[in-house]
Amino acid sequence: MALTQVSSNKCAGGFQKVFEHESTELKCKMKFAVYLPPKAETDKCPVMYWLSGLTCTEQNFITKAGSQLTAAEHGLIIVAPDTSPRGCSIEGEDESWDFGTGAGFYVDATQEPWKTNYCMYSYITEELPKLINANFPTDPDKMSISGHSMGGHGALICALKNPGKYKAVSAFAPICNPMQCPWGQKAFSGYLGSDRSTWEAYDATVLAASYSGPQLDILIDQGRDDQFLSASQLLPDNLIAVCSEKKIPVVFRLQPGYDHSYFFIYSFINDHIKHHAKYLNA
C-alpha cells in the first residue's frame, strides 16, 4: 500500500496534497487528494470523503470548492478521490463523457469489459478508507461522505448501503434516482447489465425505501437554475418523497439562481462542512 506524493501545497495553515497509489480494487494507478488541517500535526482527525461528478478528477474539488479554510477551522481531513479508473485500455472507455473514464458512477461493475477495473464502490467504501487510515492521522471511527452530481449519488448510496459507517452525508445536486434518468440508465446498463433489479442496489431512492439503520441526517443543496434539474437527470423529489415516508430527516434547500457548477458548490460548501463537523466532532 505504498503511496507516492504527487504534490503538496501549504493551504489554510495545513497542507493540500495529492498522492498516487496502485489500487488493488481497480487494478490501475489511482490519484487522490487529501487536505490535512493544522490539527493533523498533533491530533487524530475525522475524515470527510468527497466524491466528484462526471468528467472530474481529484483536482476539481481542491482547486474550485474553497473547502480548506472551513476544514482547517473544524479540524477535518478531506479526501477527494478520482471518479473512475484511468488508462485501463478498455475499448470504448474514452468514447463518451458520461460513461467510462471520468464516469465510474460509484458502482461495482458486473459486465464485461468493465468488471475487472470499474469497482469504484468497493474502492470508495473499503480500499480507500483502509489506505487513508494506515497513512494519515485519522480517527478511523469518524468518517462522513459528500459529493456533487454523480458524486452526490455516490455519497448517498455509500451512506444508505452502510448504516452507521458514515456519521453524516450531504450532497450538491445529486443524481437521486438513477434508474429513472438517462445518465443512470446508460451507466447502469453498461456496468450492471440489462436486469434492472440489479440496479436497485445503487439507487438512493430505492435504498432509502428499505433503509433501517441509525438516524442519518441528510443535507442536500440543489440549484434551481440547474439545467440538469430541468432535464430530469437529478429527480430530487423522488428521493424526498421516500425519505419523508420513511421519516429519514432531509434538509433539502432549493437555491434560487444557482446552476450545476462549482460556483454553486463554492457558495454553500461551508454549510456542508459545518454539517459534517457537527456529527464528526460530536
Side-chain angles (χ1 to χ4, degrees):
M1 294 213 293
L3 294 184
T4 308
Q5 185 168 287
V6 176
S7 65
S8 176
N9 299 91
K10 183 93 176 174
C11 183
F15 285 92
Q16 180 63 66
K17 295 174 181 272
V18 174
F19 290 90
E20 190 171 59
H21 72 110
E22 286 288 345
S23 166
T24 51
E25 283 289 353
L26 309 179
K27 300 179 179 55
C28 66
K29 270 198 171 70
M30 289 296 285
K31 285 183 185 154
F32 64 84
V34 58
Y35 177 69
L36 298 168
K39 186 184 174 191
E41 289 180 22
T42 52
D43 286 308
K44 288 186 177 345
C45 300
V47 184
M48 179 182 124
Y49 288 84
W50 170 270
L51 306 183
S52 287
L54 291 164
T55 75
C56 290
T57 68
E58 79 290 339
Q59 287 291 317
N60 300 66
F61 181 75
I62 65 172
T63 56
K64 294 179 175 177
S67 60
Q68 291 94 343
L69 277 170
T70 314
E73 183 189 333
H74 292 280
L76 303 190
I77 291 172
I78 301 186
V79 174
D82 203 347
T83 53
S84 77
R86 300 270 166 185
C88 297
S89 305
I90 299 170
E91 192 178 338
E93 68 183 353
D94 295 324
E95 274 172 19
S96 55
W97 65 276
D98 56 0
F99 185 79
T101 303
F105 260 86
Y106 306 105
V107 303
D108 284 351
T110 56
Q111 303 300 299
E112 297 290 0
W114 310 99
K115 66 182 188 183
T116 304
N117 305 97
Y118 276 68
C119 298
M120 286 298 290
Y121 174 74
S122 291
Y123 176 71
I124 296 299
T125 57
E126 299 295 336
E127 182 180 2
L128 189 60
K130 285 191 183 107
L131 189 71
I132 297 300
N133 293 337
N135 287 281
F136 300 99
T138 65
D139 180 340
D141 296 326
K142 293 192 168 177
M143 57 198 274
S144 68
I145 195 158
S146 184
H148 170 232
S149 196
M150 174 184 76
H153 141 78
L156 290 168
I157 64 166
C158 288
L160 290 164
K161 284 168 77 66
N162 297 278
K165 186 182 181 91
Y166 299 97
K167 302 291 180 217
V169 60
S170 74
F172 288 84
I175 301 170
C176 292
N177 195 182
M179 291 182 71
Q180 303 297 336
C181 77
W183 277 340
Q185 289 163 355
K186 178 177 179 176
F188 287 4
S189 301
Y191 296 135
L192 304 174
S194 56
D195 177 1
R196 291 176 66 101
S197 67
T198 64
W199 301 6
E200 295 179 353
Y202 296 108
D203 185 308
T205 298
V206 177
L207 291 166
S210 60
Y211 180 78
S212 59
Q215 181 168 311
L216 197 57
D217 286 277
I218 303 171
L219 170 62
I220 298 174
D221 271 318
Q222 171 64 60
R224 194 155 69 194
D225 290 12
D226 184 328
Q227 68 271 39
F228 300 114
L229 179 65
S230 47
S232 298
Q233 292 282 22
L234 307 176
L235 306 174
D237 295 350
N238 298 4
L239 176 63
I240 291 157
V242 169
C243 286
S244 62
E245 202 176 298
K246 291 284 295 181
K247 307 216 171 355
I248 298 170
V250 181
V251 172
F252 177 77
R253 307 191 305 187
L254 195 57
Q255 304 287 8
Y258 286 92
D259 59 21
H260 197 72
S261 71
Y262 264 89
F263 294 111
F264 162 56
I265 297 169
Y266 179 91
S267 305
F268 300 103
I269 192 67
N270 289 354
D271 291 349
H272 284 246
I273 292 172
K274 285 172 188 161
H275 171 77
H276 288 256
K278 183 170 113 181
Y279 296 96
L280 291 171
N281 291 330

